[in-house]
């Protein structure tokens, strides 16, 4: 069993070396792809755009991103996946020869376990939702079968090319083995497809959002504590990252397992609070919300505000304070997109209309 796993890992290391040696000039491209596949972009870019274009798609994006990343954390804790950049230093597979030298980059030193890949899982799930939503809204005329087939082919080709680039980028930076990114893509597609069949997420009351958020957090925390009592340290990977990362400043607290959990719970809590707000019902459910100019204004304003908001980083000196502020920051994102921005835009438009009448 161990020999087979070592062989799988060594084959993955060979692919990492191949990519790093033959595509060294593409480092900036691979780094950009990893950045673009980060789940943070779902909350700060994709969600505000899609929510104001089609509310249901925006809501589904948050659910797929949050539940998918929560499942990713549980899978990581169960599978105990290694990462290439530390595995080559600790394995006995290369005992009779020198271990391979892998290049590290500022985005290499993820601190959580490696399997399945969170970037690949998140990217596959989120992009699957967006592609299927676009096809559903576009392919209304069933008579144009050739055009419909061409559009489907183009979009799904782009989708799979995107996933291939994400997987290659994660392997290139030595953050994941090939089998881990493949597992991530598969898991992401399953989560996205599952939520495509669950209509109940569009009519969830705030109390239900609160119960789901607390349940997810309690399960993860309880799972961690139970295994810790049994002598299993689920934060074993953090120590390995700190030991084998080429530079200490490349190890960030926001890449730890609990940091992602807190961010996701904050986003889900904030979405529930926003969708059940009376201000949301007034601003996003009225006649004005049907106007494209109003929606476009909300998109632009949301992207600008969230860009400024994302530039504010919680202090990392105190771990508890960092987690608390991360939760608040994530909760504020859907509140800003769903409540604050539409309300402000509607107030500005109403004022301009009154001034014209005067």
């Amino acid at each position: 069993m161990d020999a087979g796993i070592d062989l799988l890992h060594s084959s993955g290391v060979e692919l990492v070396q191949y990519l790093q040696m033959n595509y060294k000039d593409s480092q900036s491209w691979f780094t950009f792809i990893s950045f673009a596949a980060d789940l943070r972009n779902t909350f700060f870019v994709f969600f505000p755009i899609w929510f104001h274009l089609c509310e249901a798609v925006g809501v589904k994006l948050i659910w797929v991103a949050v539940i998918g990343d929560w499942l990713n954390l549980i899978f990581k804790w169960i599978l105990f996946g290694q990462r290439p950049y530390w595995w080559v230093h600790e394995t006995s597979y290369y005992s009779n020869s020198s271990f391979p030298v892998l290049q590290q980059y500022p985005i290499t030193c993820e601190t959580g376990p490696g399997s399945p890949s969170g970037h690949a899982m998140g990217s596959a799930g989120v992009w699957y939702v967006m592609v299927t939503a676009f096809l559903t809204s576009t392919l209304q005329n069933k008579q144009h079968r050739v055009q419909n087939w061409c559009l489907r082919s183009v979009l799904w080709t782009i989708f799979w090319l995107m996933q291939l680039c994400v997987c290659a980028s994660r392997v290139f930076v030595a953050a994941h083995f090939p089998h881990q990114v493949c597992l991530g893509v598969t898991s992401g597609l399953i989560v996205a497809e599952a939520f495509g069949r669950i209509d109940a997420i569009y009519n969830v009351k705030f109390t239900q959002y609160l119960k789901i958020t607390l349940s997810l957090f309690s399960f993860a925390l309880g799972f961690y504590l139970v295994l810790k009592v049994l002598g299993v340290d689920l934060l074993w990977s953090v120590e390995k990252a700190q030991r084998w990362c080429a530079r200490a400043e490349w190890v960030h607290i926001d890449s730890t397992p609990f940091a992602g959990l807190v961010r996701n719970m904050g986003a889900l809590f904030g979405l529930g609070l926003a969708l059940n707000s009376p201000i949301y019902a007034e601003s996003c459910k009225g006649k004005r919300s049907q106007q494209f100019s109003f929606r476009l204004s909300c998109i632009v304003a949301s992207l600008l505000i969230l860009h400024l908001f994302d530039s504010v980083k919680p202090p990392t000196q105190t771990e508890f304070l960092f987690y608390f502020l991360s939760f608040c920051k994530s909760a504020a994102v859907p509140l800003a997109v769903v409540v604050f921005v539409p309300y402000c835009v509607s107030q500005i438009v109403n004022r301009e209309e009154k001034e014209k009448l005067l």
Side-chain angles (χ1 to χ4, degrees), residues 28-38 119 162 165-167 169:
S28 58
W29 166 252
F30 284 126
T31 302
F32 169 76
I33 289 296
S34 281
F35 169 78
D38 194 295
H119 280 72
M162 178 65 183
C165 288
V166 171
C167 293
S169 71

Side-chain angles (χ1 to χ4, degrees), residues 281-307:
E282 178 183 345
S283 303
C284 291
K285 291 296 187 180
K287 294 181 180 179
R288 191 177 301 283
S289 64
Q290 304 302 319
Q291 300 173 357
F292 180 74
S293 58
F294 176 81
R295 292 176 176 268
L296 182 61
S297 299
C298 289
I299 291 174
V300 174
S302 296
L303 291 175
L304 290 174
I305 290 174
L306 293 184
H307 177 71

Side-chain angles (χ1 to χ4, degrees), residues 233-251:
D233 182 14
L234 292 180
L235 298 182
W236 60 273
S237 58
V238 178
E239 184 272 332
K240 292 184 181 293
Q242 293 171 339
R243 180 190 303 177
W244 298 115
C245 188
R247 297 186 183 182
E249 63 269 21
W250 289 353
V251 180

Side-chain angles (χ1 to χ4, degrees), residues 4 21 42 63 84 107 115 130 151 161 193 214 233 254 256 275 286 309 320 324-326 343:
M21 286 189 296
T42 299
W63 278 92
I107 60 174
S115 187
M130 293 192 294
L151 181 60
L161 286 175
E193 179 63 24
L214 290 175
D233 182 14
D254 61 354
T256 59
L275 291 177
F309 191 53
F320 176 79
F324 174 74
L325 293 178
S326 294
Y343 176 78

Side-chain angles (χ1 to χ4, degrees), residues 51-286:
F51 182 83
H52 291 296
L53 289 178
C54 180
E55 180 183 313
V57 179
V59 171
K60 187 192 294 186
L61 279 176
I62 294 292
W63 278 92
V64 169
V66 168
I67 301 301
D69 206 46
W70 182 84
L71 287 172
N72 181 264
L73 173 64
I74 301 301
F75 290 157
K76 284 179 184 291
W77 279 348
I78 293 174
L79 297 177
F80 282 78
Q82 303 287 331
R83 290 184 184 269
Y85 78 91
W86 76 55
W87 180 81
V88 294
H89 293 282
E90 298 196 338
T91 182
S92 59
Y93 183 82
Y94 303 104
S95 57
N96 296 327
S97 59
S98 59
F99 63 84
V101 177
L102 302 182
Q103 298 295 321
Q104 294 186 22
Y105 306 93
I107 60 174
T108 296
C109 302
E110 297 278 351
T111 59
S115 187
S117 167
H119 280 72
M121 187 171 177
S123 174
V126 166
W127 280 86
Y128 183 87
V129 170
M130 293 192 294
V131 169
T132 52
F134 186 83
L135 288 173
T136 300
S137 62
T138 304
L139 304 183
Q140 301 293 338
N141 193 335
K142 297 182 180 180
Q143 295 179 350
H144 299 86
R145 295 183 178 179
V146 176
Q147 292 91 326
N148 292 349
W149 181 86
C150 290
L151 181 60
R152 288 180 181 274
S153 300
V154 169
L155 287 180
W156 286 119
T157 299
I158 293 174
F159 171 84
W160 285 112
L161 286 175
M162 178 65 183
Q163 304 318 308
L164 180 62
C165 288
V166 171
C167 293
S169 71
R170 302 308 292 164
V171 174
F172 175 86
V173 301
H176 288 289
F177 292 100
H179 70 278
Q180 295 173 343
V181 293
C182 292
L183 181 58
V185 170
T186 303
S187 302
L189 292 176
I190 292 174
V191 172
E193 179 63 24
F195 273 93
R197 304 171 185 273
I198 303 176
D199 295 329
I201 60 175
Y202 307 116
N203 300 292
V204 181
K205 301 299 182 182
F206 175 68
T207 53
Q208 294 173 300
Y209 268 102
L210 184 59
K211 290 178 181 178
I212 293 171
T213 301
L214 290 175
S215 298
L216 293 174
F217 181 79
S218 299
F219 181 90
L221 183 60
F223 186 63
Y224 168 78
L225 293 176
V226 167
L227 289 184
K228 189 170 184 178
V229 170
L230 296 175
V232 180
D233 182 14
L234 292 180
L235 298 182
W236 60 273
S237 58
V238 178
E239 184 272 332
K240 292 184 181 293
Q242 293 171 339
R243 180 190 303 177
W244 298 115
C245 188
R247 297 186 183 182
E249 63 269 21
W250 289 353
V251 180
H252 303 288
I253 188 174
D254 61 354
S255 70
T256 59
F258 276 111
L261 175 65
V262 169
R263 282 196 302 268
N264 291 326
M265 295 306 98
L268 191 62
F269 174 81
L271 180 66
L273 190 61
L275 291 177
N276 290 277
S277 166
I279 301 177
Y280 156 76
E282 178 183 345
S283 303
C284 291
K285 291 296 187 180

